[in-house]
């Protein structure tokens, strides 16, 4: 197989499609897939010293083969111009994937793919920066220019070329298998324990993520299956109920003082003696999965994106029982779960009292409370109010709170997380938690003022956690099987007015008794139905966090 030759005019050296494909695969493996090799290095199966280095090289070689062999086969079949276009596309898509993988530890999977598609443009802009631009220019555009300018040597007939390349792939595969067999025990253990995953190899991860998303879209039906057709309020009460479900964003339990964090990040909730549920876990590591999972009632064990999209949600069940549902959103949307609610989306507001001038989707969460008391005062009947916070959404944590709440300093004031020290990054993040505590405090004060009209309760839960540099990871969205606790452990708390507790005949001592096991997103569906006294076969009393306190 001839790799190089002069083009017909003799001006430039022409390369065979095979050589270009292998060089592109090598470049991608050295730039976008180093995190995959690093996972082998960190693996407990790696050992130490020379053995660890050889195990890491074996992992890198496998990653290279996963990229190179398919490209080589395709290059043997496609016309020369189509081969160039394919290789250019691979370089362009792998450049940003490599940036976020190398600097933030981000892995691309279906959830991350869908999160990117659903990301509000303002949030997307926060992920951009000069470092990303420089990386894409050097790692993506420079090799693209080279590939485009390099002439491809006209090969023999397509069948003969395909046969040659197929034989080359077989030979390469044999070499890779031989090397892998030397480390078979360690590889098998690492893959079984999911400390490494071939879904982390670019651009293979993008292909599988796109296929997974496409299947979900294809399997989604136009009319959702009805849920809770038997739903009704259990019994009449002297007061209507007003339950506020506060849906947090990117708050992790590790930075909650109520969970034992060394900083006081929850002073108002502590002063109000809110009921805190330690050890809570999320259904997913990204909003695109966790929010639909919460409102589906399926639980993490049964949750599937297509299944959730094809059936009604908690909001539909609550509405069917005759309870009013209002959804106020400052986080770019409800991920398809709030169609049955009265939606008030303030994400794109430009109100200068709450929003940064000239920046869309940069409003602090106090905007959710603007005019809320008047809105609720005019209601008559049981009501569920959902407040979807911007919370601690990264990477621009410093934009999530007013300057008055910058208690922990110096705080990182950049969306380039690697441009700040870890201490500055944590300071900015902790300020977001402190500000969310303020929001929850304001909600409880509002509910106290409405106590004459309603029996009031507030339930708060975050959608997922966040990595702040632990294990070299930042942000969130890691595959759940290998996600660190920082991305799966979440805060969960409740505040119940005295009149609400009295109506339920719950004792304070019971409410503060430790749960038999840590809660999770699986508990939210039943707990909200229980707080609203909605009776339906959809209700699972075993998952209601307060059922244990009901008088027998």
């Amino acid at each position: 197989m001839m790799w190089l030759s002069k083009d017909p005019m003799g001006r430039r050296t022409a390369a065979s499609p095979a050589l270009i494909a292998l060089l592109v695969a090598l470049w991608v493996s050295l730039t976008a897939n180093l995190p995959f090799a690093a996972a082998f290095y960190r693996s407990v199966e790696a050992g130490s010293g020379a053995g660890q280095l050889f195990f890491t090289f074996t992992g890198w070689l496998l990653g290279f083969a996963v990229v190179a062999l398919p490209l080589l086969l395709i290059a043997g079949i496609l016309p020369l111009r189509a081969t160039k276009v394919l290789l250019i596309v691979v370089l362009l898509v792998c450049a940003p994937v490599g940036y976020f993988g190398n600097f933030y530890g981000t892995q691309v999977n279906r959830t991350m793919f869908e999160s990117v598609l659903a990301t509000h443009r303002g949030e997307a802009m926060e992920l951009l920066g000069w470092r990303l631009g420089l990386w894409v220019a050097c790692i993506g555009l420079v090799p693209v220019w080279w590939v485009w300018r390099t002439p491809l040597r006209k090969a023999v007939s397509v069948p003969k070329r395909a046969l040659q390349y197929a034989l080359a792939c077989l030979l390469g595969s044999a070499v890779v298998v031989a090397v892998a067999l030397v480390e078979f025990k360690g590889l098998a253990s690492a893959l079984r324990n999911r400390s490494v995953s071939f879904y982390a190899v670019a651009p293979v991860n993008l292909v599988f993520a796109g296929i997974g998303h496409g299947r979900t879209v294809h399997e989604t039906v136009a009319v959702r299956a009805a849920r809770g057709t038997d739903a009704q309020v259990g019994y009449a009460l002297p007061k209507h109920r007003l339950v506020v479900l506060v849906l947090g964003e990117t708050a992790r339990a590790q930075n909650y003082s109520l969970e034992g964090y060394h900083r006081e990040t929850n002073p108002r909730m502590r002063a109000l003696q809110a009921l805190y549920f330690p050890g809570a876990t999320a259904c997913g590591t990204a909003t695109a999965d966790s929010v639909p999972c919460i409102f589906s009632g399926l639980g993490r064990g049964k949750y599937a994106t297509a299944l959730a999209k094809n059936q009604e949600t908690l909001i539909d069940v609550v509405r069917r029982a005759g309870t009013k549902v209002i959804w106020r959103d400052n986080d770019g949307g409800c991920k398809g779960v709030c169609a049955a609610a009265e939606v008030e989306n303030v994400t794109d507001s430009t109100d200068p009292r709450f929003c940064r001038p000239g920046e869309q989707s940069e409003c602090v969460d106090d905007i959710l409370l603007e005019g809320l008391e008047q809105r609720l005062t005019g209601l008559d009947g049981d009501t569920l109010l959902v407040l979807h916070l911007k919370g601690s959404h990264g990477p621009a944590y410093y934009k999530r709170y007013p300057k008055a709440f910058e208690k922990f300093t110096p705080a990182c004031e950049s969306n380039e997380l690697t441009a700040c020290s870890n201490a500055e990054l944590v300071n900015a993040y902790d300020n977001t938690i402190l500000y969310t505590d303020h929001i929850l405090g304001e909600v409880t004060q509002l509910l106290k003022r409405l106590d004459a009209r309603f029996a009031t309760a507030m339930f708060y839960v975050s959608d997922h956690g966040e990595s702040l540099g632990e294990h070299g990871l930042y942000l969130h969205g890691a595959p759940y099987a290998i996600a660190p606790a920082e991305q799966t452990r979440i805060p969960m708390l409740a505040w119940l007015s005295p009149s609400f507790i009295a109506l339920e005949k719950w004792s304070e001592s019971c409410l503060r008794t430790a749960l038999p096991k840590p809660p999770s997103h699986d508990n939210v569906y039943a707990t909200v139905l229980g707080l609203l006294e909605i009776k339906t076969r959809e209700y699972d009393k075993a998952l209601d966090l307060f059922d244990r306190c009901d008088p027998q």
Side-chain angles (χ1 to χ4, degrees), residues 63-78:
F64 171 72
V66 168
V67 180
L69 297 180
L71 287 182
L72 193 58
L73 281 174
I74 294 172
I77 299 172
L78 290 180

Side-chain angles (χ1 to χ4, degrees), residues 290-474:
S290 56
V291 170
C293 183
I294 289 171
F295 287 87
S296 72
L298 295 170
R300 170 164 166 72
K302 297 180 180 178
Y303 175 78
T305 302
L307 180 59
K309 286 185 175 181
N310 289 338
Q311 62 181 27
E312 292 181 340
T313 70
L314 172 65
I315 304 300
D316 296 276
V317 177
V318 172
R319 276 288 306 277
R320 189 162 282 123
T323 299
K324 189 179 189 66
V325 183
I326 302 171
W327 185 293
R328 279 199 168 191
D329 203 299
N330 188 34
D331 197 31
C334 65
K335 310 307 176 187
V337 305
C338 62
E342 295 181 18
V343 179
E344 301 167 5
N345 197 332
V346 298
T347 304
D348 289 326
S349 174
T350 57
D351 190 327
R353 295 174 297 170
F354 309 104
C355 310
R356 288 176 173 259
E359 295 187 56
Q360 286 188 320
S361 77
E362 295 301 346
C363 304
V364 294
D365 285 326
D366 265 314
I367 194 172
L368 291 169
L369 307 181
E370 176 63 15
L372 184 58
E373 185 168 356
Q374 295 86 339
R375 176 87 164 84
L376 296 176
T377 300
L379 297 179
D380 184 26
D382 290 352
T383 301
L384 171 64
L385 168 66
V386 182
L387 299 178
H388 192 190
L389 305 184
K390 192 78 167 183
S392 303
H393 198 291
Y397 304 117
Y398 69 99
K399 294 182 179 180
R400 304 295 170 249
Y401 54 87
K403 200 69 174 177
F405 287 85
E406 194 170 88
K407 174 182 178 181
F408 307 107
T409 58
C412 178
E413 294 192 0
S414 172
N415 61 340
E416 298 277 2
L417 300 184
T418 54
C420 299
S421 69
N422 184 256
E424 292 170 333
L425 186 63
V426 172
N427 285 342
Y429 183 82
D430 284 348
N431 290 331
T432 69
I433 301 297
L434 181 68
Y435 179 59
T436 295
D437 179 74
H438 156 75
I439 296 296
L440 298 180
E442 291 301 295
V443 171
T444 57
Q445 292 304 313
L446 184 156
L447 294 181
K448 285 182 178 181
R449 294 194 295 271
L450 295 173
D451 189 62
R453 289 181 53 83
F454 301 99
T456 59
M458 179 189 74
F459 188 72
Y460 168 83
V461 63
S462 179
D463 58 353
H464 52 76
E466 185 85 322
S467 286
L468 298 174
E470 300 87 0
H471 318 292
L473 301 178
Y474 294 88

Side-chain angles (χ1 to χ4, degrees), residues 11-260:
R11 291 193 298 264
R12 286 178 291 168
T13 300
S16 74
L19 177 60
I20 299 293
L22 289 175
L23 288 176
V24 167
L26 180 63
W27 183 254
V28 168
S29 298
L30 290 174
T31 57
N33 289 329
L34 286 181
F36 177 71
F40 281 83
Y41 183 83
R42 295 190 302 267
S43 172
V44 295
E45 291 81 10
S48 60
Q52 185 179 30
L53 292 176
F54 185 76
F55 187 71
T56 303
F57 170 74
T58 301
W60 178 86
L61 183 63
L62 288 172
F64 171 72
V66 168
V67 180
L69 297 180
L71 287 182
L72 193 58
L73 281 174
I74 294 172
I77 299 172
L78 290 180
L80 298 185
R81 187 173 292 274
T83 298
K84 268 195 174 186
V85 171
L86 171 67
L87 297 178
I88 286 173
V89 169
V90 168
L91 288 169
L92 288 176
V93 299
C94 287
V97 169
Y99 175 82
F100 287 105
N102 284 303
F103 293 103
Y104 297 136
T106 304
Q107 288 192 27
V108 177
N109 56 8
R110 180 195 54 78
T111 300
M112 181 61 68
F113 188 87
E114 292 179 347
S115 295
V116 171
L117 293 179
T119 297
H120 189 275
R121 59 185 177 276
E123 296 173 357
M125 291 301 295
E126 291 179 0
L127 295 171
L128 305 180
W130 68 267
R131 293 169 186 259
L132 173 60
L134 183 62
W135 175 276
V136 171
C138 295
I139 304 301
L141 296 182
V142 170
V144 161
W145 177 83
W146 178 80
V147 169
W148 183 253
R149 293 285 297 167
T150 301
L152 292 182
R153 180 177 59 81
K154 290 188 177 181
V156 293
S157 64
V158 171
K160 188 173 181 179
R161 175 161 55 108
L163 179 61
Q164 290 177 344
Y165 286 19
L167 291 175
C169 285
L170 287 175
L171 178 60
S173 300
V175 173
V176 172
V177 169
V179 175
L181 285 175
V182 177
E183 290 287 352
F184 178 77
K185 183 178 179 181
L187 288 172
S189 180
L191 291 170
R192 183 176 62 251
N193 296 331
R194 297 184 178 181
S195 53
V196 296
S197 170
F198 283 102
Y199 287 109
V201 179
V204 175
N205 50 9
L206 286 167
V207 173
F208 279 101
I211 292 173
H213 175 67
R215 288 181 58 187
T216 299
V217 172
H218 177 72
E219 293 170 0
T220 301
V221 298
V223 180
R224 293 183 168 190
R227 297 278 299 276
T229 54
D230 61 334
Q232 57 183 337
V233 176
Y235 55 87
L237 293 171
K239 279 185 179 180
H240 291 302
R241 293 175 181 244
L242 171 58
V243 175
V244 180
L245 173 60
V246 184
L247 188 58
E249 170 66 60
T250 320
R252 69 184 202 177
Q254 289 85 348
N255 291 57
Y256 260 62
S257 55
L258 293 175
E259 184 100 13

